[in-house]
Amino acid sequence: MIKNYLKIAIRQLRKQKMYAAIKIGGFALSIAACLLIALYIHNELSFDKHYPDGNNIYRIVGAYHVDGFDGKGVDWPAVMGRTVKADFPEVQNFGRLMPNSLFRGAGSNELKRADAVEDTHEEGFAYADQSLLDILKLPMVYGDRTHALAEPFTMVISKSKADKYFPGQNPVGKVMYLNNDKSKPYKIGGVMQDISKTTHLNYDFLLTLTGVQFWDGEQTTWGASNYSVYLLLKPGVDVKTLQKKISDGIIKNYYIPDMLKNGDKNASIIAGALKMYLQNIQNINLYSYDIHDGMQHGDIRFIWLFGAVAVFILFIACINFINLSTAKSANRAKEVGLRKVVGSQRSGLISQFLTESLLYSFFSFLVGLVLAAVLLPYFNTLASKSLAMPWLQWWFIPIILISAVLIGVLAGIYPAFYLSGFKPAEVLKGKLSIGSKSSVLRNGLVVFQFTTSIILIISTVVIYNQMQFILNKKVGFEKDQVVMIQGTNTLDNEVTSFKNELLKLSSVQSASISDFLPVSGTKRNGNEFHNEGKEKIEAGIGSQFWDVDADYIKTFGMKIIAGRNFDPSLKTDSQAVIINQSLAKKLNLTNPIGKRITNYGAPRLIIGMVQDFNFESLRDGIDPLVMHLSNSNSIVSVKIKSGNVENTLAQITKTWKNFSPNQPIRYTFMDERFASMYADVQRMGRIFTSFAILAICIACLGLFALAAFMAEQRSKEIGIRKVLGASVANITSLLSMNFIKLVLLAIVIASPVAWWAMNKWLQDFTYRITISWWMFTIAAVVAIVIALATVSYQSIKAAVMNPVKSLKAE
């Protein structure tokens, strides 16, 4: 019987080539999209799952609520880890990580072997405890993990970096220099296996924290927070109970006494403002979208979103299958009637139709797999991933087979029961209506298809406009025509001379030495400021504290709205500061010029105030900022004149070679760095655009086939209308309007859903567009035009047909 079912199924497939191609094509496109999304979701869910004790490894997160501001962070005092371990016996071990580029060595460095001449720029440096290696149980290629970071000035490097600098050698014990600093040689204590790409700890170089103290008292103070703290809990610990004990105990026994000792007025509110909790290491990638940890990670909301998109796209393809199967019912009605007359049972007919559905499903999966493999490189570019088809994984083929059966059954179950339910007496007497011209189910499914597509179109339009708004918004500084030359700290005392030589170039307008810049990937330094004399009266105000030079404000086109700029010739300016409007407002300084502020050091005189500018993502507001004259020299920013940019860059490169012949110049444009801050938004926009196009294509395939079928079933009606004088335009309009009504209904349903979803998405941005009526109009026009283009071909074809052909049998 199965062989007979297959023969009939293949015969039907050959007989109806266009409908079969649409069924398989739509299914294959949706299956390819679902496979790619499934690979993406699987990759995101696999992050940090490879640590042997992963279930018991947690990091400490702080959630704070102050003056209506909510935030989460992972920076803690150096003393936090050992205090928690000493006070809470549930904690087996702790390890600290310090990736903050504010501290020399973390972030990026110019690196070379002790016997090498040329420096090489490397990213991915972080300070770490020896105990962190023990907690994570990182596999080693060379060296003993238990002692790899036990000594001062040691570091662990990844295997790929060991192969790069010491090919074919065991580098343990070899010496390397960071930033050409020969006073602090780092000895390699071990080589670890390359850290998995599916981890939030994406570092190739771990520098030891043994013996490190960034300033006197830094390792014992509770007043400075720069370390992420990871805990290894003993098996069986109740995490919720422990995190409450840690939060209550640390705040009550350490934070409050230390703040009271220093006269900090925040001591009275910290118990209610700060809560500490534990986050399992396996949840960090997807559940840290609202945590400020300076790391790149995924977002569980995107996982749900992409998963929903995949289901909708697959559902649209299933709808095509159901629509076409039920619409073509009249073509199978006599077959069903005759088979029942000669003794076929309904169960046998259901099996026959399900076999056809399964055959379509298997063909679709084969084509879908090929499409997914072909489109994977494009999808990797789209999603910024390095995914690969898991052909050799034991689970891949079984999942594909099970999915093919499941989808085949789900898509075919309704048509199978519908077609097998025909009564032979009615069918053979010709009483069965030819097709279902006004099927509520079929119309509802078409509406659902276009509703999904229109939601995706509206979302794409909103995301695109938000991205354009961000990139073109006036942010309070000039980011265009600014070249950021990196790694200039290797010039040591010659950085100023290098800057002065650049200023001699006719194409250079201005230059500034500072690595505190209003774009991502540059230094940040949070401090607490008070009005002079009010340190023990008022709560401090959190603010950024940046090292800049006298040409900083000029180079970036910032506007001084009160006071003056720095003057290096005035010795008093070494203790002077320029603040932004946000800090003045927070400190209640209506006229800040001449006032003094302090951050637990000598009071600093305010000599100027700049207009607020956005120095973080436009998702956030503008935080308080203090700038002072100081040397932080790893980046020189150069404002160049418009014109021959290539010639200017060549001149800058030549000047660099005069100062550093053994180190290649590295530079980027500030506007490009600014745009990269919103790479995730751009990526989301591209993904939505791709899915919207795909959804429209699949929906239109089904619409095209339905239009062809309706034109076929109404051929006699059309012939009679033409004989009675109906024009081509009248008939085309008649056949098209039913579908256009369905699309209009889909627009009505999709618009409020899209508005709600996009309005919720925009809430993540402090600076955002307003969703306007024209965005919905664009989506509506696009949907209607596409639907018209899809059905018009079949409508016009039917309208121009000679009526003799359709009426000759009457």
Side-chain angles (χ1 to χ4, degrees), residues 111-124:
L111 183 69
K112 68 178 181 181
R113 291 171 43 153
D115 57 352
V117 175
E118 186 173 311
D119 288 298
T120 302
H121 179 75
E122 294 286 0
E123 306 276 351

Side-chain angles (χ1 to χ4, degrees), residues 403-674:
S403 299
V405 172
L406 187 63
I407 290 172
V409 171
L410 289 176
I413 194 75
Y414 174 76
F417 275 90
Y418 176 77
L419 295 173
S420 64
F422 293 149
K423 296 179 180 179
E426 292 182 357
V427 170
L428 297 177
K429 286 179 181 179
K431 291 184 178 180
L432 184 71
S433 175
I434 300 179
S436 183
K437 297 179 185 177
S438 59
S439 167
V440 174
L441 174 65
R442 186 158 59 250
N443 289 347
L445 294 176
V446 170
V447 169
F448 177 83
Q449 285 181 314
F450 272 89
T451 298
T452 303
S453 302
I454 292 164
I455 289 171
L456 289 172
I457 293 172
I458 294 172
S459 300
T460 300
V461 173
V462 172
I463 292 169
Y464 174 80
N465 280 275
Q466 174 65 13
M467 194 66 224
Q468 293 304 306
F469 172 77
I470 288 171
L471 294 179
N472 297 307
K473 181 185 182 297
K474 293 187 181 298
V475 289
F477 67 92
E478 295 176 5
K479 58 183 183 294
D480 298 324
Q481 301 295 119
V482 176
V483 181
M484 298 164 53
I485 305 172
Q486 300 159 69
T488 52
N489 53 322
T490 58
L491 301 180
D492 295 326
N493 297 326
E494 293 188 310
V495 177
T496 302
S497 299
F498 173 64
K499 171 190 167 183
N500 292 334
E501 288 299 313
L502 291 175
L503 290 172
K504 293 178 183 179
L505 301 177
S506 60
S507 54
V508 171
Q509 287 186 5
S510 181
S512 171
I513 303 171
S514 175
D515 43 23
F516 288 85
L517 300 174
V519 290
S520 64
T522 59
K523 287 185 178 179
R524 295 293 182 265
N525 182 17
N527 272 235
E528 191 174 88
F529 284 88
H530 300 79
N531 287 306
E532 183 184 20
K534 296 184 178 181
E535 294 88 346
K536 298 186 178 181
I537 301 173
E538 298 176 349
I541 301 299
S543 171
Q544 284 292 310
F545 190 35
W546 288 9
D547 302 340
V548 302
D549 69 358
D551 293 319
Y552 188 90
I553 291 173
K554 174 185 175 183
T555 300
F556 297 110
M558 296 164 185
K559 186 178 180 181
I560 296 179
I561 57 175
R564 62 176 176 84
N565 196 2
F566 294 112
D567 185 348
S569 65
L570 298 176
K571 291 185 178 179
T572 53
D573 273 13
S574 63
Q575 287 299 309
V577 294
I578 294 175
I579 66 173
N580 70 351
Q581 291 172 288
S582 292
L583 182 63
K585 184 178 179 181
K586 292 274 188 179
L587 291 174
N588 296 315
L589 298 174
T590 54
N591 183 18
I593 308 305
K595 302 292 194 303
R596 294 178 184 272
I597 57 176
T598 178
N599 61 335
Y600 299 109
R604 297 177 180 272
L605 176 69
I606 300 174
I607 62 169
M609 180 168 68
V610 294
Q611 188 177 61
D612 277 345
F613 61 92
N614 294 94
F615 55 85
E616 300 292 2
S617 167
L618 290 179
R619 289 185 174 90
D620 307 314
I622 299 175
D623 291 329
L625 173 66
V626 178
M627 294 180 280
H628 72 121
L629 281 177
S630 189
N631 182 35
S632 190
N633 60 3
S634 68
I635 297 177
V636 173
S637 301
V638 184
K639 178 73 173 179
I640 63 175
K641 298 176 182 177
S642 57
N644 192 338
V645 176
E646 288 186 8
N647 184 54
T648 302
L649 293 175
Q651 292 176 334
I652 291 173
T653 301
K654 183 179 178 181
T655 305
W656 171 265
K657 286 294 183 184
N658 292 335
F659 283 85
S660 185
N662 295 320
Q663 182 179 327
I665 189 172
R666 290 188 304 108
Y667 61 81
T668 185
F669 287 92
M670 179 167 279
D671 56 347
E672 293 175 354
R673 181 71 73 87
F674 180 83

Side-chain angles (χ1 to χ4, degrees), residues 371-414:
L371 280 174
V374 171
L375 294 174
L376 186 57
Y378 167 74
F379 184 78
N380 279 332
T381 303
L382 202 67
S384 296
K385 289 284 186 181
S386 300
L387 306 176
M389 294 294 288
W391 302 111
L392 301 179
Q393 296 291 333
W394 66 267
W395 46 265
F396 184 64
I397 298 301
I399 285 179
I400 293 296
L401 292 174
I402 292 170
S403 299
V405 172
L406 187 63
I407 290 172
V409 171
L410 289 176
I413 194 75
Y414 174 76

Side-chain angles (χ1 to χ4, degrees), residues 15 22 24 54 80 118 127 147 167 258 273 285 332 351 377-378 382 403 429 532 688 772:
K15 185 178 178 182
I22 288 173
I24 293 173
M80 176 67 78
E118 186 173 311
Y127 286 94
H147 298 93
D258 184 75
N285 179 56
R332 307 294 298 274
S351 298
Y378 167 74
L382 202 67
S403 299
K429 286 179 181 179
E532 183 184 20
F688 262 83
S772 303

Side-chain angles (χ1 to χ4, degrees), residues 154-166:
T154 54
M155 68 176 179
V156 169
I157 66 176
S158 66
K159 184 180 184 301
S160 59
K161 298 303 178 183
D163 292 340
K164 177 179 178 179
Y165 290 97
F166 304 93

